[in-house]
Each structure stands twice: as C-alpha cells, then as structure tokens.
Amino acid sequence: VHNAFGTGADLTMPERYAIIHQPLLALSRPHLSDWRDVLLNIAGFMPLGLFFCAWFSLQRPAAFPAFLTILLGIAISLGIEVMQAYLPDRTSDLRDAIANALGTVMGVSLYRIRFVRTLLAEGGSVRQR
C-alpha cells in the first residue's frame, strides 16, 4: 500500500497475520476513561436481563427465571470476551465481562419491581401474574 498524501514509505502487508500472545480475559489497570466503558457495558446488558427475565417468567417449565437469565447473560458476555481475544483490534477484558454480568443482574432486578412489570403488561409485552 502506498501513502497517497506524500512521500512516505510503502506499507507491506504480510500474507499471514497472527496475534502473538493475545491475553484472554486480562484484568487491565483502571483509567478514568474506563468508567464510561463500564457504564456502557452495564447499560447494554440491562435490557437483556429485563426482557429475558420477563420471557422466562412466562414460560411454564422455567422454574428460576432470574437464575436462568443471569446464566444467559454471563454466557453471552464470556462468549463476546473470548471472541474478542482473537480479533486483532480488540482486547478481552475481565472487567467488561463483570460489567456485563452486573448489567444483567440489574436488568433482572428491574424486572422484579412491580411497577416495571405493570408497565410491560400495559404495553402488551408481558402478561401480569
């Protein structure tokens, strides 16, 4: 690839690319800018906790909808973080997995509030029990 903006050296791409020693679920040092990412991860998984807990609550065989929802959130979060370990421009971080799991728990907790269940029932999303 040649630099089109001036006289720069050409960039040669190797035929094979491999990530050497990419850490899996590393725990990086916290920075102030990380708080935004943590809050986004929590907020991103809250709907998963809320709506899957509502859905599992409607299913007759589901004995423990909150527990199943939290397990699902943890499994999805770990799946995302493991996949990120194999992507060249992404990092696999344990803090993200914990924040995602916390977001799932917060969504489940939100569903347990009677007012929220009433709102979902009025919107036609969930039957009231």
Side-chain angles (χ1 to χ4, degrees):
V1 177
H2 181 69
N3 184 352
F5 293 108
T7 58
D10 290 339
L11 176 64
T12 306
M13 299 296 289
E15 289 186 28
R16 291 180 178 229
Y17 178 79
I19 302 170
I20 300 172
H21 306 295
Q22 177 80 342
L24 177 65
L25 293 174
L27 187 58
S28 61
R29 291 184 177 183
H31 298 94
L32 285 177
S33 63
D34 291 340
W35 285 108
R36 181 178 178 268
D37 292 335
V38 168
L39 292 175
L40 284 173
N41 282 332
I42 290 171
F45 269 70
M46 281 178 69
L48 182 141
L50 175 70
F51 291 115
F52 271 97
C53 191
W55 187 72
F56 284 141
S57 294
L58 292 175
Q59 304 302 312
R60 295 288 181 216
F64 306 104
F67 181 72
L68 289 174
T69 303
I70 292 168
L71 280 181
L72 177 67
I74 290 170
I76 290 172
S77 177
L78 287 176
I80 290 169
E81 294 304 319
V82 167
M83 284 190 295
Q84 284 182 355
Y86 295 100
L87 296 174
D89 60 340
R90 302 294 299 180
T91 57
S92 176
D93 195 348
L94 184 60
R95 185 178 22 250
D96 290 345
I98 292 169
N100 294 342
L102 180 61
T104 304
V105 170
M106 289 175 73
V108 167
S109 299
L110 191 63
Y111 176 73
R112 295 181 150 226
I113 298 172
R114 186 171 193 79
F115 173 73
V116 173
R117 288 195 312 270
T118 303
L119 281 178
L120 288 173
E122 288 176 3
S125 300
V126 176
R127 290 185 309 233
Q128 187 83 11
R129 283 210 246 183

